Amino acid sequence: MTEESTHDGGDEPALETDGGDASEASGSSSDVSDVGDAGSDSVVRRDRFSGGPARSFLSSLEADTRIFEADLEVDRAHVVMLAEQGIIDDNTAGEILTALDTIEVDGHEALPDGEDVHEAIETAVIERIGEDGGKMHTARSRNDEVAACIRYRLREDVLEAIETTLALREALLEVASEHTETVMPGYTHLQPAQPITVAHWACSYEGAVRRDTARLLAAYDRINESPLGGAAFAGTTFDIDRERTAELLGFESVVENSMDASSSRDFLLETVQALSTHATTLSGVAEDLIIFANRGFVSLSDDYSSTSSIMPQKKNPDTLELVRAVAGDAAGSVQGLTTTLKGLPRAYNRDLQRATTHAWETVDAVTEASEVAAGAIATAAWNEETLAAEAGEGFSTATGVADLLAANGLPFRTAHEMVAVAAENGADYDALEAAAEDVLGESLELFVDPSAVEDALDPVESVASRDSQGGPAPDAVADQLESGREALTADETSLEQTAGALEDAHEQLRAEVNEYV
């Protein structure tokens, strides 16, 4: 492709290849002899530029598998628009569109050699219908063409990534709804801090993933703008209808400035950044579950674990370790893409051939990691007895005792000092009583009822008392579950509508094509 591209799944990432001056908007292609030989003349490169040892270095054809179908759709929309505008006649449009259908059936692997998928498809059209096939490239460049292909395909990938965030949120909310009263230790600095519940922990990550969803939805909005018609970068002399091709391809709007349309890749950077942020959230989830499994708090399903080749007793959280590692890869892609883009002058530069790889690799890896994390959480079994036994470890209810003293008139800082002394001397009621005599010079009973202190020392009662908005008390978590469910439903609806709009556009384009073939 003239810019970047990558193939699906295990295929290599698709790259961008610049059409340069040779691919700027024109009325027809020339130099069509031996079009199937990348080392000879091609529909894009004159003989002088068609050979040499760097041809394979420049080529992105193999990597362009990922945008093969996108390119065909972009070609169809462009040809339909050209015919509607009277720039090419209906018969020629029909021949080109029929050839494109045949090429789609034959598949990417049947394309002739070429510098990129765009040239190879055009070459294949010309091979089928003659030089009139070159009219498909009228009023466009490979620069705006590849930008349109990237956006077209990336939309689908981002919607798939969003779908996995929704599945993860669903899994977290389900765990939370089942464990609103399952107390567990909460940590800061990996040290016992305060008792919470499994529900409170799960809701904390649901909120983070909810924001990840929002970032991806926002990135999608900026992907979903059509650059087609920007040509090389300075527009075209032909009377094209950019709004029409945007409509046929399901884009919400056009990137107005032609130079911006053909050369900008900020939408890629924004998408990779959003994916990297989600990967960081996933890494946190994975790290917590790995630690919890180590401490016997949770048992991961065998489907998300493995064993050792030499130690038969081992059950390792390997999948979550890989989820954790994806965050580093995604962060590296942000840095790599930023570095590629940061020094480019306007307008198009061949460096962009290396840019899209970062997006394809990141969206694939993060989407898979998100799906795995959702499955691991949905199938994990929480050890409620162990969690309850450990909930009070390390005098984790100390803050609750200090709060109780402060609520009964003692300055919080003084209460904090007194409880700290008790923590060093047994961390029970007797230690608190001794600390009161030491710090306050008076009995603890003068400040607070002993039964209230005993309740504050109990992890279950401590959790129940923390009923402020967003707290771990069951009633407070119930509110979080309600808002989480409402937000999830809203995002599911948004995703469904967005995916439906793309499907509607695809069907509309097919109907328009059928008028010519």
Side-chain angles (χ1 to χ4, degrees), residues 313-377:
Q313 83 283 5
K314 295 292 296 297
K315 182 177 180 180
N316 300 323
D318 286 16
T319 56
L320 291 173
E321 291 169 352
L322 288 171
V323 168
R324 188 173 56 186
V326 166
D329 295 338
S333 290
V334 172
Q335 183 63 41
L337 180 55
T338 301
T339 303
T340 297
L341 298 179
K342 62 113 182 132
L344 299 185
R346 288 294 199 210
Y348 184 80
N349 298 272
R350 195 60 174 262
D351 310 54
L352 293 177
Q353 183 163 313
R354 304 297 305 169
T356 314
T357 303
H358 297 294
W360 302 139
E361 292 178 348
T362 303
V363 73
D364 287 347
V366 175
T367 298
E368 187 175 22
S370 187
E371 185 177 17
V372 168
I377 289 170

Side-chain angles (χ1 to χ4, degrees), residues 190-250:
L190 269 183
Q191 300 300 309
Q194 293 177 291
I196 56 169
T197 63
V198 171
H200 193 240
W201 172 86
C203 283
S204 78
Y205 275 115
E206 190 281 325
V209 180
R210 192 189 313 176
R211 293 189 295 276
D212 292 342
T213 303
R215 276 183 280 267
L216 288 168
L217 285 169
Y220 178 91
D221 288 342
R222 278 175 283 280
I223 297 168
N224 197 29
E225 300 175 353
S226 175
L228 199 59
F233 75 96
T236 177
T237 59
F238 290 92
D239 183 25
I240 61 172
D241 187 345
R242 295 188 63 201
E243 297 287 349
R244 177 59 169 157
T245 51
E247 176 191 4
L248 290 171
L249 293 170

Side-chain angles (χ1 to χ4, degrees), residues 159-428:
L159 289 183
E160 184 179 354
I162 291 170
E163 187 173 7
T164 66
T165 70
L166 300 182
L168 177 55
R169 286 162 61 185
E170 175 66 36
L172 288 164
L173 289 170
E174 186 63 27
V175 168
S177 66
E178 293 175 359
H179 293 283
T180 57
E181 297 186 4
T182 304
V183 294
M184 66 175 289
Y187 300 93
T188 62
H189 309 282
L190 269 183
Q191 300 300 309
Q194 293 177 291
I196 56 169
T197 63
V198 171
H200 193 240
W201 172 86
C203 283
S204 78
Y205 275 115
E206 190 281 325
V209 180
R210 192 189 313 176
R211 293 189 295 276
D212 292 342
T213 303
R215 276 183 280 267
L216 288 168
L217 285 169
Y220 178 91
D221 288 342
R222 278 175 283 280
I223 297 168
N224 197 29
E225 300 175 353
S226 175
L228 199 59
F233 75 96
T236 177
T237 59
F238 290 92
D239 183 25
I240 61 172
D241 187 345
R242 295 188 63 201
E243 297 287 349
R244 177 59 169 157
T245 51
E247 176 191 4
L248 290 171
L249 293 170
F251 287 111
E252 186 67 25
S253 60
V254 300
V255 182
E256 184 174 14
N257 181 275
S258 62
M259 186 181 295
D260 185 27
S262 296
S263 62
S264 291
R265 295 297 180 272
D266 54 292
F267 70 93
L268 281 182
L269 184 57
E270 179 180 10
T271 301
V272 174
Q273 287 170 333
L275 290 165
S276 179
T277 299
H278 181 48
T280 301
T281 303
L282 294 175
S283 182
V285 173
E287 174 71 359
D288 277 2
L289 290 174
I290 290 167
I291 291 172
F292 292 166
N294 174 264
R295 295 179 179 179
F297 296 169
V298 67
S299 177
L300 299 174
S301 166
D302 288 353
D303 290 341
Y304 295 92
S305 307
S306 69
T307 189
S308 166
S309 63
I310 189 172
M311 297 170 284
Q313 83 283 5
K314 295 292 296 297
K315 182 177 180 180
N316 300 323
D318 286 16
T319 56
L320 291 173
E321 291 169 352
L322 288 171
V323 168
R324 188 173 56 186
V326 166
D329 295 338
S333 290
V334 172
Q335 183 63 41
L337 180 55
T338 301
T339 303
T340 297
L341 298 179
K342 62 113 182 132
L344 299 185
R346 288 294 199 210
Y348 184 80
N349 298 272
R350 195 60 174 262
D351 310 54
L352 293 177
Q353 183 163 313
R354 304 297 305 169
T356 314
T357 303
H358 297 294
W360 302 139
E361 292 178 348
T362 303
V363 73
D364 287 347
V366 175
T367 298
E368 187 175 22
S370 187
E371 185 177 17
V372 168
I377 289 170
T379 57
W382 295 85
N383 190 331
E384 297 183 20
E385 291 185 3
T386 299
L387 289 167
E390 296 293 327
E393 67 170 329
F395 197 13
S396 67
T397 55
T399 305
V401 175
D403 287 343
L404 176 65
L405 293 170
N408 282 272
L410 199 65
F412 180 79
R413 192 52 56 202
T414 303
H416 183 280
E417 180 185 356
M418 193 205 87
V419 176
V421 171
E424 298 174 355
N425 294 283
D428 55 16

Side-chain angles (χ1 to χ4, degrees), residues 7-187:
H7 9 154
D8 294 313
D11 292 333
E12 301 268 340
L15 308 174
E16 305 203 32
T17 49
D18 178 15
D21 295 338
S23 68
E24 294 183 17
S26 60
S28 63
S29 297
S30 58
D31 297 326
V32 297
S33 60
D34 298 323
V35 290
D37 184 357
S40 316
D41 296 347
S42 73
V43 298
V44 172
R45 302 298 183 191
R46 303 192 307 275
D47 181 61
R48 174 184 171 191
F49 299 104
S50 295
R55 291 308 101 191
S56 62
F57 181 68
L58 288 169
S59 176
S60 66
L61 180 59
E62 182 181 354
D64 285 347
T65 304
R66 189 174 196 125
I67 60 166
F68 172 66
E69 293 180 359
D71 190 272
L72 291 168
E73 290 292 87
V74 169
D75 287 342
R76 289 175 176 125
H78 185 67
V79 169
V80 168
M81 181 275 295
L82 291 177
E84 290 177 346
Q85 293 296 105
I87 297 171
I88 63 174
D89 63 75
D90 289 356
N91 288 335
T92 299
E95 290 180 345
I96 294 171
L97 292 169
T98 299
L100 291 172
D101 285 349
T102 303
I103 291 166
E104 182 173 33
V105 171
D106 291 344
H108 180 273
E109 62 279 3
L111 288 175
D113 289 341
E115 189 171 280
D116 54 49
V117 70
H118 321 296
E119 178 191 2
I121 288 174
E122 185 179 351
T123 298
V125 170
I126 294 170
E127 287 178 341
R128 284 164 171 79
I129 71 171
E131 66 179 15
D132 275 355
K135 292 182 178 181
M136 67 183 286
H137 203 60
T138 304
R140 75 175 182 188
S141 161
R142 285 188 295 168
N143 295 353
D144 61 326
E145 180 183 2
V146 69
C149 294
I150 293 167
R151 288 173 181 266
Y152 188 94
R153 174 54 199 262
L154 188 59
R155 291 185 310 188
E156 299 176 14
D157 293 332
V158 169
L159 289 183
E160 184 179 354
I162 291 170
E163 187 173 7
T164 66
T165 70
L166 300 182
L168 177 55
R169 286 162 61 185
E170 175 66 36
L172 288 164
L173 289 170
E174 186 63 27
V175 168
S177 66
E178 293 175 359
H179 293 283
T180 57
E181 297 186 4
T182 304
V183 294
M184 66 175 289
Y187 300 93

